[in-house]
């Protein structure tokens, strides 16, 4: 029996030493020290021994059990430590790795143009005014000296909703509404950006919906030279100090006289290129002195007050400023196009 116990101890200690994880170690514990294990069995068989041998064997069995138990305990501590180290190694974070970039948006190029133009005019003392996109025929046409049946209404093919309501074809109705609110008292100095709608077939330079930015100034003694000076300052600030402007006679029912403004081509500096169609000049906006009928209809005394107005397409400005060759890019919202206009790059 003594031999058996010593052999047992040796086997157990070898197995404990070789155990490579906590589960294996636990299996060894159950196998050797469990209730059905060989040491318990040996102790049970103690009754068959002589009285002399019994205490000796008893002590030996206890010694074997103690040795195996403490070997297991020691090994357990080692394995537990190893398990923690392994887990930590697996969970290591490399804090020096670059993070994933957060996809931040940017302003739409049209928003940028509108805000830039707004800022320029705010700097000259203007305020921003807005109005409805679904507009009354009265404000869109009649109050602007375009009575029903007037042939010039054909200049702006319209989307009618009812006979008297339409999608505004320009932002001039905001001017009519603002003038009316002023109840015949100047000064009025506003800039009106917003979406407008016309029955146009979409192509590289036309869109049935686009953005306009219009301005209006009404006060005593406002003259054509004020309009010219304002537009000159505006063109230089937006397109560069070396821009020249030129005014050509034109026609709008709500202004008299009416003009169209060109700026000297910023690409070829007046030499002639494909952008300016070899003329050296690029048309930018329409403008004029507010027609006396328009002033009177809005409640202003046209003998005392005069004013000027101008209007431009935000898309056209953006296309020229950023070199965009197709107006449809502004509306298809391809992020590859839009991301080129990141303010921070
Ligand atoms: N409302 C005009 C248009 O859409 C532009 C304009 C505004 C012209 C103000 C003159 C004065 O064509």
């Amino acid at each position: 029996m003594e031999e058996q116990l010593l052999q047992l101890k040796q086997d157990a200690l070898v197995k404990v030493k070789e155990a490579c994880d906590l589960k294996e170690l636990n299996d060894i514990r159950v196998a050797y020290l469990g209730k059905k294990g060989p040491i318990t069995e040996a102790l049970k068989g103690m009754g068959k021994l002589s009285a002399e041998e019994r205490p000796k064997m008893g002590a030996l069995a206890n010694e074997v059990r103690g040795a195996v138990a403490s070997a297991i305990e020691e090994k357990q501590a080692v394995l537990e430590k190893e398990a923690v180290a392994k887990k930590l190694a697996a969970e290591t974070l490399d804090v020096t790795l670059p993070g994933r970039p957060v996809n931040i948006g940017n302003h739409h190029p049209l928003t940028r143009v509108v805000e830039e133009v707004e800022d320029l005019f705010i700097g000259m003392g203007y305020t921003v005014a807005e109005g409805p996109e679904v507009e009354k025929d009265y404000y869109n046409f009649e109050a602007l000296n375009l009575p029903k049946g007037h042939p010039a209404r054909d200049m702006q093919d319209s989307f009618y909703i009812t006979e008297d309501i339409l999608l505004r074809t320009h932002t001039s109705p905001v001017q009519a509404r603002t003038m009316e609110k002023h109840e015949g008292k100047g000064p009025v100095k506003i800039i009106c950006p917003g979406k407008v709608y016309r029955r146009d077939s979409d192509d590289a330079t036309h869109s049935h919906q686009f953005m306009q930015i219009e301005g209006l100034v009404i006060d005593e003694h406002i003259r054509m030279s004020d309009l010219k000076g304002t537009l000159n300052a505006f063109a230089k600030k937006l397109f560069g100090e070396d821009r020249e402007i030129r005014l050509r006679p034109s026609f709008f029912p709500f202004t008299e006289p009416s003009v169209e403004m060109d700026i000297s081509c910023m690409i070829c500096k007046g030499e002639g290129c494909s952008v300016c169609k070899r003329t050296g000049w690029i048309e930018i906006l329409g403008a004029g002195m507010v027609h006396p009928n328009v002033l009177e209809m809005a409640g202003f005394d046209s003998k005392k007050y005069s004013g000027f107005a101008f209007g431009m397409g935000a898309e056209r400005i953006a296309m020229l400023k950023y070199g965009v060759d197709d107006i449809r890019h502004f509306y298809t919202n391809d992020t590859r196009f839009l991301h080129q206009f990141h303010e921070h790059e």
Side-chain angles (χ1 to χ4, degrees):
M1 184 162 204
E2 185 179 349
E3 231 169 75
Q4 215 183 327
L5 280 170
L6 290 174
Q7 185 63 43
L8 242 162
K9 176 178 164 189
Q10 203 188 344
D11 288 353
L13 293 182
V14 169
K15 281 202 176 138
V16 167
K17 203 171 161 203
E18 283 171 358
C20 49
D21 62 39
L22 288 163
K23 174 165 183 317
E24 210 181 320
L25 190 66
N26 198 43
D27 290 346
I28 297 169
R29 182 204 324 275
V30 173
Y32 283 91
L33 306 178
K35 275 191 195 127
K36 286 176 192 149
I39 298 177
T40 318
E41 287 297 314
L43 286 168
K44 269 188 206 156
M46 214 57 86
K48 289 181 201 136
L49 296 175
S50 64
E52 217 171 282
E53 269 200 305
R54 211 177 291 152
K56 239 170 93 193
M57 287 303 123
L60 181 61
N62 278 333
E63 194 264 317
V64 168
R65 186 166 52 188
V68 173
S70 62
I72 288 177
E73 218 170 278
E74 261 169 45
K75 182 76 183 188
Q76 183 163 348
V78 171
L79 287 178
E80 272 170 1
K81 232 184 187 172
E82 263 176 35
V84 169
K86 225 170 164 182
K87 201 165 170 219
L88 282 178
E91 288 175 359
T92 302
L93 281 181
D94 183 353
V95 292
T96 64
L97 279 177
R100 273 187 210 136
V102 179
N103 209 354
I104 45 170
N106 55 284
H107 283 125
H108 193 279
L110 291 179
T111 308
R112 277 181 72 174
V113 163
V114 168
E115 287 184 351
E116 196 177 337
V117 173
E118 277 177 10
D119 284 350
L120 283 177
F121 282 99
I122 288 169
M124 294 194 258
Y126 289 64
T127 52
V128 177
E130 287 181 343
E133 287 170 35
V134 178
E135 185 53 283
K136 290 191 172 135
D137 181 281
Y138 175 77
Y139 290 112
N140 195 81
F141 288 132
E142 267 181 70
L144 298 167
N145 202 27
L146 275 153
K148 284 213 162 91
H150 194 289
R153 284 191 176 208
D154 289 350
M155 283 167 79
Q156 303 180 355
D157 255 342
S158 322
F159 289 111
Y160 273 92
I161 292 166
T162 68
E163 209 160 294
D164 287 315
I165 295 178
L166 73 162
L167 296 180
R168 67 181 178 192
T169 56
H170 48 182
T171 43
S172 306
V174 184
Q175 310 188 351
R177 283 171 175 275
T178 309
M179 281 193 272
E180 201 178 75
K181 270 196 218 128
H182 273 256
E183 296 179 335
K185 272 200 220 72
V188 179
K189 227 174 158 186
I190 52 163
I191 187 99
C192 336
K195 292 194 195 86
V196 301
Y197 304 83
R198 291 188 195 176
R199 280 176 47 181
D200 247 336
S201 303
D202 293 355
D203 62 25
T205 53
H206 296 86
S207 170
H208 62 282
Q209 179 220 297
F210 59 103
M211 294 278 292
Q212 261 195 349
I213 311 172
E214 293 202 10
L216 171 73
V217 172
I218 293 174
D219 206 347
E220 293 174 35
H221 314 301
I222 297 289
R223 291 172 306 192
M224 189 88 181
S225 53
D226 297 312
L227 170 64
K228 191 172 178 184
T230 303
L231 294 181
N232 190 34
F234 162 72
K236 285 183 160 55
K237 280 200 180 130
L238 200 66
F239 288 106
E241 284 302 319
D242 52 345
R243 290 286 67 65
E244 309 263 332
I245 65 161
R246 111 181 151 176
L247 301 180
R248 284 178 290 107
S250 183
F251 170 78
F252 299 103
F254 26 87
T255 47
E256 181 60 36
S258 302
V259 294
E260 263 164 330
M261 180 179 88
D262 298 340
I263 56 169
S264 55
C265 182
M266 58 282 204
I267 313 248
C268 63
K269 314 274 183 233
E271 295 281 305
C273 67
S274 62
V275 173
C276 61
K277 300 196 185 101
R278 324 240 162 256
T279 63
W281 295 95
I282 300 174
E283 186 190 319
I284 291 288
L285 52 76
M289 301 307 289
V290 181
H291 197 291
N293 287 355
V294 174
L295 287 170
E296 295 288 342
M297 261 186 284
F300 278 86
D301 178 355
S302 64
K303 298 224 168 48
K304 186 172 169 204
Y305 283 105
S306 53
F308 65 74
F310 55 87
M312 68 196 99
E315 284 81 355
R316 185 164 168 73
I317 305 282
M319 286 168 88
L320 289 169
K321 246 181 112 70
Y322 302 127
V324 175
D325 60 1
D326 193 320
I327 196 171
R328 290 167 291 200
H329 286 312
F330 293 120
Y331 309 112
T332 40
N333 283 333
D334 184 331
T335 50
R336 290 168 303 180
F337 171 75
L338 296 175
H339 275 299
Q340 297 175 75
F341 302 93
H342 234 294
E343 286 92 334
H344 309 296
E345 275 163 16

